[in-house]
Structure formats: C-alpha cells, structure tokens
Amino acid sequence: MSSIRDDYIAPWWTYWLHNFPHVNLNFQPIDNTFTPQDQNYQQSLIFLGCVAAAGLGLNLLCLAIYLSCLCCCRKDEEEESKRPNSCCVTWSAVVAGLISCAAVGVGFYGNSETNDGVYQLTYSLYNANHTLGGVDNLVTNTMGSMESGLKQHLARLDEIFATRGDYVQTLRFMQQMADNVIKQLLGLPDWDMAKVDLAAIADQTAYVEYYRWLTYLLLLILDLVICLAACLGLAKQSRWLLTTMMVFGVLTLILSWASLGVDLATAVGTSDFCVIPDKFIMNQTKDLISSDIVHYYLYCSQTLPNPFQQSLTIFQRSLTTMQIQIQGLLQFAVPLFPTAERDLLGIQHLLNSSEASLHQLTALLDCRGLNKDYLDALIGVCYDGVEGLLYLCLFSILAICAFCAMLCAIPRAWTHIASRERDYDDIDEEDPFNPQARRMTTHNPNHATNVHSFCSYSSSMGSQSSLHPPAAQAGSNAPVSEYMNQSALFGGNQRYENVPLIGRGSPPPSVYTQQFRNRYSPSMRATYLSMTEDQIRHFGNDFQA
C-alpha cells in the first residue's frame, strides 16, 4: 500500500516545531508523534506552558529587583545630572512605544492568519460532512424504495399474474435483483458515525476559534490603549496616570506570558499532527471504516483501486436487468393484463430514480471530493494556522519586551517628575521677580500696590537713608556675606524688600536671591547655609565676582 503523496508537503516551520524537545513533567523525553490521548504527550505540551510560567516568574523577579534597587539607591541628584536621566526616560519610552506598536501590528496579522486557517478547516469539515451526509441519504432512500415500494408493486403484480407462471417467474427474478441491490448497499461503510463526528468537531472548533479571536482582539486593543495612555502620562507628567498604567502594564505582562505559553504549546502540537497527518487519521478511523477505504480517500491516486467499484458495478447491472424485465412485461403482459400497467410503470419510475441515485452516489463516493476537502483542511491548519500562531508568539515576545521597558521607564519618570516638583516648590511665591508672583499681582491690584519696584526703591533712597543712624552708613563696606545671609534666610520676603542694605543703595534682596538660585542648586544652597563665617566671606567674594 503506497503512502507517498505529492499533493501535500508540510511547511518547514512545522518540522522546526516538531523537533522541539518533548519532555513530560518528570523531565523524561517522549516520542513526538501526535497522540493527544496519551498522558505523556499531554504532559509534554503542558511542560511548554510551564516553561512560559517560569519565564514569567523570572521576569517579575527581575523587575522586582530593579524597582527595589531604584527605590533604595534613589537620592537627590544635582541639576547637571538631571538632563541625562530625562533623556534616558524619553528614549526608553520611545523604544517601548515603537516595540509596542510593532507588537500590535504583528499580533493583528497573526490573529487574522490563524482565523483564516481555522475557518478553512471548519469549511472543509462542513463540506466533507455534507458529502458523507449525501452518501448516507442516497443509500437510505434507495434501500427504502427497494424494500418497501418495490415489494408492494411486486406483491400486487404477483396476484395479477397468478395465472401466468412465466410472468410470476420474472417477478421472482426481479425480487432477487432488488435483494442483490440492497445487499450491495449494505456493504457500503456506515458514514453516519463519521458524519456526526465531523459535524461536532467543526462546531466545537468554530466555537473555540470565535472566542480565541475575540480574546486576542481585546488583548491587542488593551496593549495599544496602555501604550497610548503611558505616553500621555509622560507628556502630561501625570503621576496617577503613570501609576495606573504601571498596574495595567504588569497585568498585560502576565497575559502576554500566558498567551505565549498557550500559543507555543498549540503550535507544537499542531505541527506534530501536520508532519504526519495520515497516520493519525488512520489510527482514529480504524474502528469505524476499513483501512483500504481511508487510504483511498487520503491519497486518491489513480493507481489505487476504488474499493466501491465492485459494489457499484453490481448495483448498476442489477438495475439494468430489472429495467429490461420491466420493458418486456410492459410490451407483452399489459395487453393481456391491463390492470398491471400501473404497477409496472411504478416499478419503472422507481428504477429510474434508483439509477439517478446510483450516478450521484458514484460521484460522491469518488475520492477527489473528499480528498480535496482533506487537503484544504491540512493547508489551512498547517500553513495559515501554524504560521499565525508563530506570529502570535512573536507578538507576545515583543509585548513582553515593550512592557518591560515601560515598567522600567515609569519609575524613572516618576522620580524625574518628583524632583521637578520639589524644585518648583523651592521658588518663593512672594518674590516680585517670580513670574508666578507677577501673574498673581496682575489679578490682584491691591496686592500690587504693596510691592515696590526696583525703580521706586532707587528714587526713594534719600528718604530711606535718613531713617537710619550714621552707623549704618559706616557699615556700607561690610562684607557681602551679611546681606547674602539676609537674602538666603529671608528669601525675598516683602517685609525686607524696601530695607536698604548696609546703606549703599544696593538692589533688594530678591535680586540676589534670584541670582543665587539660578546659579546654585538646592544642595549647594543648603551647603552654603551651613558654612562658617570665613567660608561665607570667600563664597560672597566669589559670588560678587
């Protein structure tokens, strides 16, 4: 029996997946032949899912270690070091967004390819089920007409031709031919069981595929929404939005690892079937249909004999013999027995309908129809289906990388946003040189009248100096550290804005305060406040220079 086929060649990726190590839960290698009923084979597919679960655990552990180190090692950074961190966060977000967009595109393509392959499988199963159902209906109707209709006509004709022994002998011969036809029809395989199995498999496959396709569609949309929301949170510098997206990112990371495990196990199992599909079909149908018949439909070669040829030939010859007998009775018996014409014409009509059923049955039993459905199902599953599963695995891997980058970038962005908020809080809102204070004075004119400008201070220098004792004038050459300490401590408060500094007509303390803040970072200002007097004098000379 030849088992070489030229019309189907498994794609290379099925052989690649078929060669994956098949190990049961006891870490023992097993045969990679597709035997889904075998417990060890089931464990080998579950083992692949366990590998993905182990990868998820390792991934979460690495992220936890990274976040722990980030929280423990975080400290106040100098302003010179903030720009590289911000750049790092920006590039991490850009890379995560690009990878996420690529993953979503690959996922949509893989989901569509898998759906196309499964649809082709179910379509072929329904076509094969229709063919087998048609065969079963033709056999049942032909046998029913032979057993009931023909026997009734023959029984009435036997009464009419009771006086003619030769006509009665012809009727007996026709009954033998009808029994022979029924015998040949009974020799055909019972397609009813196979038909029910195909219909059930097609319905269940279509049901599972619909929810699989919908689940992946929602997962792809979720990935895209999380990516866009994370980018919006970085642009708006919204800490609560980034926190929410971080939680959803962890959830999506878990779902990506789970989908990777399921897709990989499904792809490996399907590839094991696609490499040697005929062997599995033969094993599944050995208790229902003869192996010669299954081999005939699987390979459909011109060199293979038709297992139904003999039965169909006997069927055709029996019908032809019965039609010849009916033609003779219509020609010679009807003139003698006019009442027999009705039954003879009824038998003739029955034989004509049986002959039409024979031609339909011959066409349906031909191997080309079922073999085409079989090959279409294989191509749909092994080409489009497995290819789509591989793209879905790639989508899961890219999504994992994207969300890992996002989860690493969000804490950095959080730290950057927090540091900027601290710097913003250090700005004195009562400083008239602060842009925010100027906006406040614009909306509050009464408050603006209490703030003296630098020009008004200069114009009133004489009157202000007259209020101070001469000792204040003598102290005009005091070191710069004195008013520097005043400026740093008072922070540009309005109460000290119009106070002349050492009587020498210097600008208000807020001017030096603003220059002091623009030039030195918060950590350096804190260092300055803790300096000794000699260090302050040296610092003031440097600042004045």
Side-chain angles (χ1 to χ4, degrees), residues 44 52 84 112 182 186 230 376 446 449 453 494 506:
S44 67
S112 177
I182 294 174
L186 289 174
D376 290 343
N446 296 327
T449 58
S453 64
Q494 295 180 12
S506 298

Side-chain angles (χ1 to χ4, degrees), residues 100-168:
S100 180
C101 293
V104 171
V106 171
F108 271 111
Y109 179 76
N111 196 31
S112 177
E113 283 292 302
T114 305
N115 184 258
D116 292 342
V118 176
Y119 173 78
Q120 191 170 354
L121 169 64
T122 56
Y123 183 77
S124 300
L125 289 176
Y126 283 127
N127 280 344
N129 180 71
H130 178 73
T131 301
L132 298 180
V135 171
D136 185 67
N137 291 332
L138 288 174
V139 171
T140 302
N141 294 334
T142 303
M143 289 179 61
S145 62
M146 288 291 177
E147 290 177 348
S148 61
L150 184 60
K151 285 184 178 181
Q152 292 177 4
H153 289 297
L154 291 177
R156 285 194 293 267
L157 290 175
D158 189 64
E159 295 177 357
I160 296 173
F161 298 149
T163 58
R164 293 292 301 266
D166 52 346
Y167 293 163
V168 173

